[in-house]
Amino acid sequence: LQNRNNNNLIVFGDTNVTEYSDEISQNLLNGIGIKEILDSDYKMTFREIRKPDRVFSNMNGIEFTVISGYFKNSLSDHDALNITYPK
């Protein structure tokens, strides 16, 4: 998989891919030229026990925060991500 047109990409969600993932997962990230964007609070997003919801991009200026309460209020098994990016 390649980002052949050098388009701006944002990949997010329940990916379970980290810098410690296996070689196949790492090759996927490297192949499309994206890196993980870390939230400043490093909040848990899944059932308040771990963080599988991640944001990856090849753009500068990407920020995100975790909107808590979705799991606590039984709206989802994940909390929400609020992603902002430059125009």
Side-chain angles (χ1 to χ4, degrees):
L1 184 61
Q2 293 179 325
N3 182 7
R4 293 181 184 168
N5 297 322
N6 294 319
N7 293 324
N8 290 332
L9 296 175
I10 302 173
V11 177
F12 59 93
D14 186 359
T15 64
N16 295 321
V17 177
T18 73
E19 65 274 13
Y20 304 111
S21 294
D22 60 34
E23 185 177 349
I24 293 172
S25 298
Q26 285 299 312
N27 288 340
L28 173 64
L29 297 179
N30 294 334
I32 56 177
I34 59 177
K35 62 181 179 178
E36 183 171 9
I37 310 299
L38 299 173
D39 63 311
S40 57
D41 295 333
Y42 200 74
K43 290 184 180 176
M44 302 302 180
T45 61
F46 176 69
R47 300 182 184 177
E48 299 179 335
I49 56 174
R50 59 191 174 118
K51 184 181 175 188
D53 301 305
R54 300 182 182 279
V55 178
F56 301 89
S57 182
N58 61 351
M59 299 168 55
N60 293 321
I62 302 290
E63 296 180 1
F64 79 96
T65 55
V66 177
I67 303 171
S68 56
Y70 284 78
F71 173 71
K72 228 177 243 182
N73 294 312
S74 300
L75 297 170
S76 175
D77 61 345
H78 294 257
D79 279 330
L81 301 178
N82 178 41
I83 302 169
T84 59
Y85 56 93
K87 290 185 178 184

